[in-house]
Amino acid sequence: MRILLLARVHLGTVAALSVLTISACLLIAGLPRGMQASFDQALRRSLSTAAAQQADLTVAVAPDSRGEDLHERDQFAARDREWRDLLPPGLRPLITPAGTGSSHTSAKTTVTPITGTSGTQFFNLGWLSDADRRVTWVQGRPPGKPGTTRYDGETIPVFEVGVVAEALREMDLRVGDTKTLGENDYIAVKIVGAFEAKDPGDRYWDHNLDILRVTKIQPPGSLDFEKHITSLMSDDGLSVLSGEGRHLAYHWVLPVDATTANALDVPRLTAAIADFDRLIGIQSTGTASPYRLVTGLPKLLGDFRAALATAETVMYLVLGGLLAVALGVLVLGVQLLADRMEHTLTLARARGGSLRQVAGTGAALTGLAEAPAALAGYALSYLVPGPVLPIVHAGPVLVIVVTVGYAATRLAVTYRTPLHERRDDVATARPSAKRITLEALVIVLALAGAYLLRARGLTDSAGQDPFLLLVPIALTLAAALITLRCYPFPLRLLVRLTARGRAAVPFLGLTRAARARSASVLPVLILLPALGVSVFAAVISDGIAGTQTRASWQQVGAPIKMTSNIEIPAEAIERVRGAAGVEQVVPAQTARVQVGYGAERAEAIAVDVAQWRRLMGEAPFGLPDLPSGALVSPELQGRGTFEIGWQSRLKLPTRGVIASVPGFFTKGKFLVVPIDVLTRPAVNTLLIKGDASVDALKRLVPSATVVSQHGTLRAIQDDPLTSAVRWTMLVVTVALAAYALVAVVLALVVGAADRARAVSFLRTLGLSERQAQRLTVLEILPVILVTTLVGLGLGLGLPAALGPGVDLSSYAGDLPVGDYSLDLFLPSALAAGLAAAAVLGAYTHTAVSRRRRLGTVLRVGDLT
């Protein structure tokens, strides 16, 4: 047969099939690329925002003898090259080259007390390989060569050092001071200069905060703080510095380049880090001081994999549903094309055409419509940024194979015998016992799978659980089988009721709907997975959005929260009250208090709870009223009246138990007390209502940290992984809704010929045009409405059916997502849209059929 001629004759159907193929291939190949690009962006953000000492690889050793000391810069450089040579191939692209970024080496002592301070001040020695590029000397001069001095009858080394300018104030030091360090093995340091960091915000200083800041530590049971600072010395100081007699550690920092990371390499990176750690350990063989790898990168990657596994599971669910629906719609298009060629192929078969020729003709025409369109959709998918995954290549090929294979198989079955007459419109075929048993088995397995999934949860939170992917598919298939088998029964009941009436149209329309063949109903059942998956995606997206809002309130505890490590002065509080946009200010004090007279401690907040509740307004959580006494955590309940030490001894009766205090405490031992129980509240927290600028409030109280609920919510929503999940769900929801409408239209068109024939018969018996329209609507609408309701129910029930199998807390501020409230707007909109499409299609069909003459539809002998 002439394929091009057939394509020209059926140009409209071929064009429609091509458009559907382009859209399907674009979605199937483009969405995974966009998803993977978002996953890569999420991993890079996770690595770049984590503390450098957690994300970077650091090789450390603590020499405790002179034989293991390193005294020259070249020795450090040689070890750095050695560590880089040991990097596994899979890890090397992730590590920045030597001398770039924050790559550096260091030597530092720890816990080196200043002699005579009784262990309250510690002055450590430090050396950085690139200190000259990192600091600016603001007082004195850079350190030089070390010297010697006499102390306690011995000659001890004197190191020239510099300290950060902040340490001069915090530790009462001056340039030119000489301090003796140690309690037995003494050394001395001479402060010759003070410096400031050129870029204090550089990730480089995450590894060296002990140099840039004075560290304050409060020992247990003490009211005083220990102060620690690490100074900087020159290269010449290395020749004298030794690990013998003091705590000395060498570090080689191998920074991670977050821009080169991609989510697909996460499992390989985790294995490579473990391999690198093993190789470093081998280098320590035979040495008294072993080298070790210090990094939090495996934990970062593990946490990311856990969040990614959930994202991938949800994505696979919705994309799998999208693929199934897209293929179903394409199959409907192929069926429409086959129906349009029925006359041609029947004639060819009657004139001696072989079954291979007939089936090959249909397959060739389908391939002609599909192949260029699939190639175009595949090419358009490259406009979506992201890595090329196997599904990008396999998706369009799968579309072509399924559609062409379906065309060939359907035509081979239909025309296996020439001019085989079929009369399936009179009575429906009774399914075999084997088929009923198989369908019942599928339903039972789907229900059992849903129960087991809820009972056992996931097998591996860091990987894909096939059970989680199979259960939704089984539930969808079970719902489709139940709908296919059960929908005729209520229709037959309606047929009996309408048979008692005098009007013929309701009886005829519902009878045709109840007697519809399975083959004619199956195209409409594409609506079920389309609606089920789209509603599931919408419900999950809404659940995430609502939980994100609750999480932002839970993290902040007020529209705006200002906290400080020191007391906020009264005049500063008044400035905040008078700031633009501030409506209400509630002062509070937080502290760690003593419970009883022992060593037990608890976190506490003193606040006017009534004012706090008014300030919160319509926040998604509440606090119990507290006129007196204390609200305690579950760990402190059951104690009745207890005593705490906070400014003075306070006896407080328990007035209630609270699981968490939004913005402050979520676990452990904590309590909430009225602020007026304190003798003189030292306010260090302000809870603010209004739309004031966070930056403006920071300028009013420079020592405070200011966060807002809106800013926290934006940070949660802007996470790349979270954005990828919600963006993909939105696209899939819109695409599936469009496919559902297309399925309705195709279902109308596929049965148009038989429907027009039946209406023409009835018109010869006096059926009016208005009655023909009503008849068509009654024939089509019941099946669509039943399928729509089942699909909506499936989509609304899937989140509850999956239960703990889908943990979405990673995308909602670490708050569990479980409140899938029933929002009837989307279901109602989808149901109304599909019903409207069906009714509009019915009226359009009758309007088109009205222009046909009965002679073009009925042949001689049809009325006999």
Side-chain angles (χ1 to χ4, degrees), residues 347-354 357:
L347 183 61
R349 187 77 167 119
R351 291 179 175 178
S354 67
Q357 288 177 320

Side-chain angles (χ1 to χ4, degrees), residues 349-634:
R349 187 77 167 119
R351 291 179 175 178
S354 67
L355 186 62
R356 178 180 300 178
Q357 288 177 320
V358 172
T361 299
L365 183 58
T366 303
L368 181 63
E370 293 277 335
L375 183 61
Y378 172 76
L380 289 175
S381 70
Y382 277 82
L383 298 177
V384 180
V388 180
L389 304 175
I391 187 62
V392 175
H393 306 304
V397 175
L398 179 64
V399 168
I400 296 175
V401 170
V402 170
T403 52
V404 174
Y406 174 78
T409 303
R410 183 180 186 277
L411 293 176
V413 172
T414 302
Y415 297 98
R416 60 185 182 275
T417 56
L419 300 178
H420 180 65
E421 294 292 339
R422 295 173 298 278
R423 285 298 304 272
D424 296 310
D425 58 320
V426 176
T428 57
R430 188 180 299 275
S432 65
K434 291 183 179 180
R435 183 170 182 178
I436 293 177
T437 303
L438 180 61
E439 292 176 355
L441 179 62
V442 170
I443 295 171
V444 171
L445 290 177
L447 296 177
Y451 171 77
L452 291 177
L453 181 61
R454 288 186 59 86
R456 73 175 179 89
L458 292 178
T459 56
D460 181 10
S461 61
Q464 289 299 325
D465 186 354
F467 202 62
L468 182 61
L469 301 177
L470 294 176
V471 166
I473 298 175
L475 288 174
T476 304
L477 182 59
L481 292 175
I482 293 173
T483 304
L484 181 63
R485 291 300 170 206
C486 295
Y487 93 91
F489 297 109
L491 290 182
R492 290 172 185 173
L493 179 61
L494 291 176
V495 168
R496 290 187 179 183
L497 294 177
T498 56
R500 299 178 180 179
R502 300 182 61 183
V505 171
F507 172 76
L508 292 174
L510 294 176
T511 299
R512 286 183 55 81
R515 290 184 175 183
R517 294 181 292 127
S518 297
S520 63
V521 174
L522 284 174
V524 182
L525 290 180
I526 294 174
L527 293 174
L528 196 146
L531 290 173
V533 175
S534 61
V535 173
F536 169 76
V539 170
I540 290 291
S541 182
D542 288 342
I544 291 176
T547 308
Q548 286 175 340
T549 301
R550 290 194 298 273
S552 64
W553 283 104
Q554 187 72 31
Q555 292 179 18
V556 180
I560 302 174
K561 182 178 69 174
M562 176 183 292
T563 57
S564 175
N565 293 327
I566 60 176
E567 181 179 358
I568 302 176
E571 57 273 15
I573 298 176
E574 291 304 318
R575 288 198 300 269
V576 172
R577 291 184 190 274
V582 173
E583 301 176 14
Q584 182 182 356
V585 176
V586 177
Q589 181 182 352
T590 59
R592 186 171 179 82
V593 300
Q594 181 186 28
V595 179
Y597 290 91
E600 186 178 11
R601 296 289 189 273
E603 302 294 334
I605 177 172
V607 64
D608 188 329
V609 176
Q611 291 190 31
W612 192 3
R613 293 174 62 183
R614 287 194 295 270
L615 178 139
M616 296 307 302
E618 298 180 357
F621 63 85
L623 293 170
D625 194 14
L626 183 65
S628 63
L631 299 173
V632 301
S633 64

Side-chain angles (χ1 to χ4, degrees), residues 322-345:
L322 177 62
L323 175 61
V325 171
L327 290 176
V329 171
L330 288 174
V331 165
L332 273 179
V334 173
Q335 184 175 337
L336 176 62
L337 182 60
D339 290 346
R340 290 288 188 268
M341 295 190 299
E342 181 179 6
H343 179 72
T344 302
L345 297 179

Side-chain angles (χ1 to χ4, degrees), residues 81-97:
R81 290 191 294 270
E82 182 178 353
W83 306 139
R84 292 178 180 274
D85 291 340
L86 290 177
L87 286 171
L91 195 56
R92 289 180 182 176
L94 195 65
I95 304 301
T96 60

Side-chain angles (χ1 to χ4, degrees), residues 120-121 163-174 212-216 225-229 566:
T120 60
Q121 290 193 339
V163 295
V164 67
E166 174 188 332
L168 298 179
R169 301 185 299 271
E170 292 285 340
M171 300 184 64
D172 193 23
L173 301 175
R174 290 180 296 275
L212 204 59
R213 299 176 186 170
V214 176
T215 304
K216 298 179 181 180
F225 287 90
E226 294 177 356
K227 295 182 179 181
H228 299 248
I229 189 61
I566 60 176

